[in-house]
Amino acid sequence: MTNLLYPKEYLNSYRDLKPERLKTLKIKTVIFDIDNTLVPYFVKKPTKEVLDYFGSLKAAGINTAVLSNSRPERAEEFCRGLDIPFVSRAKKPLNKGLKKLMRELSLKPEEALIIGDQIFMDVLLGNLNGIYSVLVKKADKKDELITAVKRPLEKIVLFFYLRRGRK
């Protein structure tokens, strides 16, 4: 069970995931979480930093998409500025939203990478579906209540993950 909770990589930020690395992994599409992965949950639109990063992925021929548990209005407002496909109310870690997105993009699991700030949502979902999972440190200290409750358990998993020499 613990291996399902371990990301393939643990990074400080989404920006640490370089297009060259994605090419090495043969990744065609990166699936992003929004809240506390790309921006704090209270930021409604992509920042210049996010726009620049997504531009660098596009220039490298790497597609992007968003898979979010947020409300449709939230995901739509955020993704409109990026002009990318998205699925809101994805109900992660259940895979219904992911499967919908994968079908829409005609994407195979080995061609995708999922990146997020939560072990019990993003990492678990990716690992259960054979998708390369990347965990990032949260973008802001604040969490929504439902997420804050899970953070102490994530710290325990992360402790054992790092103890095994994973980075």
Side-chain angles (χ1 to χ4, degrees):
M1 177 64 173
T2 53
N3 285 344
L4 286 175
L5 298 177
Y6 288 175
K8 301 293 184 274
E9 294 185 43
Y10 177 46
L11 304 172
N12 286 321
S13 165
Y14 67 90
R15 294 180 311 280
D16 294 333
L17 190 60
K18 305 297 182 195
E20 304 79 35
R21 174 79 176 126
L22 294 166
K23 293 274 191 189
T24 301
L25 293 169
K26 297 181 172 56
I27 299 299
K28 291 185 178 179
T29 302
V30 179
I31 301 168
F32 290 88
D33 173 52
I34 300 173
D35 295 322
N36 252 345
T37 297
L38 293 172
V39 294
Y41 69 92
F42 53 84
V43 174
K44 303 297 179 209
K45 295 183 180 183
T47 61
K48 181 181 180 331
E49 212 169 50
V50 170
L51 291 168
D52 290 346
Y53 180 75
F54 276 60
S56 73
L57 293 180
K58 186 175 183 177
I62 298 164
N63 299 315
T64 53
V66 161
L67 185 69
S68 176
N69 283 347
S70 65
R71 295 178 332 278
E73 310 81 50
R74 160 59 167 153
E76 183 177 356
E77 182 178 7
F78 190 86
C79 293
R80 188 179 315 124
L82 296 167
D83 192 29
I84 60 171
F86 68 92
V87 171
S88 59
R89 293 220 167 135
K91 298 183 181 174
K92 297 182 284 183
L94 301 176
N95 65 9
K96 185 177 180 183
L98 176 65
K99 294 292 184 190
K100 178 182 178 191
L101 186 63
M102 300 287 282
R103 271 192 314 276
E104 286 176 10
L105 301 175
S106 300
L107 196 58
K108 297 175 186 165
E110 62 272 12
E111 299 171 330
L113 180 147
I114 190 165
I115 184 167
D117 67 300
Q118 293 186 59
I119 290 172
F120 297 113
M121 296 288 173
D122 310 299
V123 172
L124 180 59
L125 177 63
N127 290 344
L128 285 171
N129 287 279
I131 297 173
Y132 196 91
S133 61
V134 175
L135 179 68
V136 292
K137 293 180 181 174
K138 60 185 186 171
D140 190 68
K141 292 177 184 173
K142 291 182 183 178
D143 268 319
E144 292 181 279
L145 181 59
I146 194 159
T147 305
V149 172
K150 295 179 273 185
R151 292 293 187 190
L153 294 173
E154 288 189 344
K155 285 182 181 180
I156 294 167
V157 173
L158 200 53
F159 170 81
F160 287 105
Y161 170 81
L162 293 171
R163 192 170 134 188
R164 290 182 131 188
R166 308 263 179 129
K167 294 183 181 174

